[in-house]
Amino acid sequence: MRKKIVAGNWKMNTTLPQGVELAKEVNDALASRCPACDVVICVPFTHLAPVAGVIDQTKLGLGAENCADHASGAYTGEVSAPMVASTGATYVILGHSERRQYYGETAETLRNKVALALENNLTPIFCIGEVLAEREAGSHFDVVKAQIEEGLFNLSADQFSKIILAYEPVWAIGTGKTATDDQAQEMHAFIRSVIAGKYGQEVADNTSILYGGSCKPSNAKALFAKPDVDGGLIGGASLKADDFMGIVDAWN
Ligand code: PEP
């Protein structure tokens, strides 16, 4: 059966000492718990190797927030999937709406990134989601379906089974406006049906689909109670160990 997962996305927050401290706090909080889900933190590139040195990755997974669409070469300032993997990280967020919106990531770029992540044994957390105007126009299902088809449907079933999806309605990210649990369930069930149409029901049933967008301890339990919501990708609330653990505990 599919995994329940709570993953933090620190974005461009924390200096290195602050980040190492936060990672230690989350790690220590997990040491005294038996969480009912997998727990992952995705941190800035500069923090990966030092954080890998202070956490127990049997209890707390580590990921990057992005990787390059090339394996190596003359791409000044980029960080490749092999580089990320060499730090000890095993996850990578790809296709976050902020990357699509501010850095012009296209479906083609994302296909290359996904392929390189998989080749380097990194588990992609692949983000999809509509903007407010698309939801208001009633095109949100079409938008999300196209993002999945264009970004991922070149994969074999075996490759696809290594992907974690994160549905993040852009209007809910960092805005304090969470999708209702019914809105999340409706979209997650739709996403699962799109996957089933391409790869079959078994692959669809085994795919973890996380919800992201202003998820916090106070709303996580209701969201996670929905049958197709398999956990959360958490931005702001992952920057405080207590809040993040409150979301992890929502699975208990
Ligand atoms: C995110 O950026 O992935 C996210 C879900 O952010 P927030 O939780 O702050 O809305």
Side-chain angles (χ1 to χ4, degrees):
M1 259 325 259
R2 57 187 180 259
K3 286 183 174 172
K4 315 290 185 205
I5 303 164
V6 171
N9 171 18
W10 289 4
K11 311 195 189 194
M12 197 174 71
N13 291 300
T14 72
T15 61
L16 180 55
Q18 289 167 342
V20 168
E21 193 47 44
L22 176 56
K24 278 188 193 162
E25 282 177 40
V26 174
N27 189 67
D28 291 353
L30 282 169
S32 58
R33 276 177 171 81
C34 250
C37 62
D38 286 3
V39 186
V40 178
I41 48 174
C42 297
V43 308
F45 290 131
T46 45
H47 299 21
L48 286 168
V51 166
V54 299
I55 64 171
D56 171 5
Q57 285 201 54
T58 63
K59 290 200 108 175
L60 177 59
L62 178 63
E65 301 172 14
N66 182 29
C67 71
D69 56 343
H70 298 274
S72 65
Y75 301 100
T76 303
E78 288 293 291
V79 178
S80 70
M83 290 173 184
V84 169
S86 73
T87 67
T90 58
Y91 294 84
V92 60
I93 297 173
L94 292 175
H96 192 281
S97 62
E98 289 151 16
R99 302 285 325 165
R100 294 178 190 259
Q101 190 181 345
Y102 306 141
Y103 301 96
E105 291 197 350
T106 63
E108 188 189 358
T109 321
L110 289 172
R111 285 195 296 275
N112 291 337
K113 292 186 180 203
V114 168
L116 285 162
L118 292 175
E119 273 170 34
N120 288 281
N121 297 316
L122 297 172
T123 300
I125 301 175
F126 190 87
C127 302
I128 50 185
E130 80 285 357
V131 299
L132 186 59
E134 291 163 340
R135 178 159 283 262
E136 285 175 349
S139 60
H140 44 298
F141 293 113
D142 291 341
V143 167
V144 167
K145 185 173 186 216
Q147 287 171 337
I148 299 170
E149 286 175 344
E150 292 167 12
L152 297 172
F153 277 7
N154 60 319
L155 299 176
S156 67
D158 188 45
Q159 289 171 318
F160 187 88
S161 66
K162 300 190 169 93
I163 304 283
I164 296 166
L165 281 172
Y167 168 59
E168 300 204 303
V170 180
W171 47 271
I173 295 179
T175 59
K177 269 190 219 159
T178 320
T180 65
D181 31 319
D182 286 337
Q183 283 173 322
Q185 169 57 26
E186 184 185 36
M187 181 59 87
H188 284 225
F190 172 74
I191 291 168
R192 209 175 295 290
S193 75
V194 170
I195 299 167
K198 169 77 177 174
Y199 295 109
Q201 197 60 47
E202 194 180 338
V203 171
D205 285 342
N206 286 327
T207 301
S208 297
I209 308 174
L210 314 185
Y211 167 79
S214 299
C215 185
K216 35 191 185 267
S218 58
N219 59 25
K221 217 174 179 70
L223 285 160
F224 297 172
K226 293 294 178 186
D228 287 291
V229 178
D230 304 312
L233 181 57
I234 317 300
S238 70
L239 293 171
K240 288 205 179 116
D242 282 351
D243 288 349
F244 189 57
M245 294 316 299
I247 297 172
V248 170
D249 291 342
W251 275 118
N252 293 334

